[in-house]
Amino acid sequence: MTAPASPAKPTKKPDPQYKRPAVDWESRAYWEGAGRGELVLQRCRACGVVQHRPRGVCASCLSGEIEHFVASGLGRVYTFSIVRQNQMPEFRDAVPYVVAYVALDEGPQLLTNIVGCEPSAVSIGMRVRVDFVPVPADPRAATPIDAPLAVPRFVPA
């Protein structure tokens, strides 16, 4: 009599592989902050609005009085989708994975990935915290930056 095979341990699937982001004068503080493990947002000194995506002016009042600050990195899943097919080489082995908008505690929403849990465990309203993935340097980049850069993504809080 043959003993039953033991159940295979689930293997950890790879996370998506992120390319080095395109960095410009508006987004440099955001990407360099991510490279330091900080979620850097912008706040308008004229009207107080916190904004993301980085811009040269306030999206609310058009003031140029923008300051950068380190956000808490906490938020809630606003909406999400489970991607089950993607033939891009950087994402092909990571399916299924979650793409989500996270409503940050500071106000803005950020388009990101949710990792660190099964896609089926993600739910609207779920508390999450930021996590960072370093991206490799690219000497061929149009705007070479010496500072390390990273891509923010979120994990269950």
Side-chain angles (χ1 to χ4, degrees), residues 1 4 9-10 12-13 17 46 72 138 143:
M1 179 171 194
K9 290 184 180 179
K12 182 181 181 321
K13 64 182 173 54
Q17 300 300 304
S72 68
D138 183 357
T143 54

Side-chain angles (χ1 to χ4, degrees), residues 6-74:
S6 60
K9 290 184 180 179
T11 57
K12 182 181 181 321
K13 64 182 173 54
D15 289 333
Q17 300 300 304
Y18 304 100
K19 292 183 178 178
R20 194 160 179 90
V23 178
D24 60 23
W25 68 273
E26 291 178 319
S27 66
R28 185 173 184 154
Y30 173 77
W31 292 116
E32 287 181 348
R36 295 187 305 270
E38 299 173 338
L39 185 61
V40 176
L41 299 178
Q42 293 179 324
R43 179 174 33 235
C44 178
R45 288 186 292 226
C47 71
V49 165
V50 176
Q51 66 185 19
H52 180 78
R53 126 184 123 63
R55 298 172 177 91
V57 298
C58 174
S60 180
C61 74
L62 301 181
S63 168
E65 296 181 48
I66 299 295
E67 65 182 353
H68 294 91
F69 71 99
V70 177
S72 68
L74 298 171

Side-chain angles (χ1 to χ4, degrees), residues 31 79 82:
W31 292 116
T79 190
I82 299 174

Side-chain angles (χ1 to χ4, degrees), residues 87-135:
Q87 293 307 310
M88 292 178 58
E90 300 84 5
F91 293 85
R92 179 178 23 231
D93 295 334
V95 294
Y97 62 89
V98 176
V99 175
Y101 271 102
V102 168
L104 300 171
D105 287 355
E106 291 80 5
Q109 293 180 0
L110 185 72
L111 182 62
T112 187
N113 292 118
I114 307 294
V115 298
C117 65
E118 288 297 319
S120 60
V122 176
S123 62
I124 292 174
M126 177 179 171
R127 290 291 292 169
V128 291
R129 66 176 172 78
V130 73
D131 179 54
F132 297 92
V133 178
V135 293

Side-chain angles (χ1 to χ4, degrees), residues 72-87:
S72 68
L74 298 171
R76 294 186 182 278
V77 173
Y78 177 77
T79 190
F80 71 97
S81 180
I82 299 174
V83 177
R84 298 185 189 283
Q85 295 182 31
N86 189 336
Q87 293 307 310

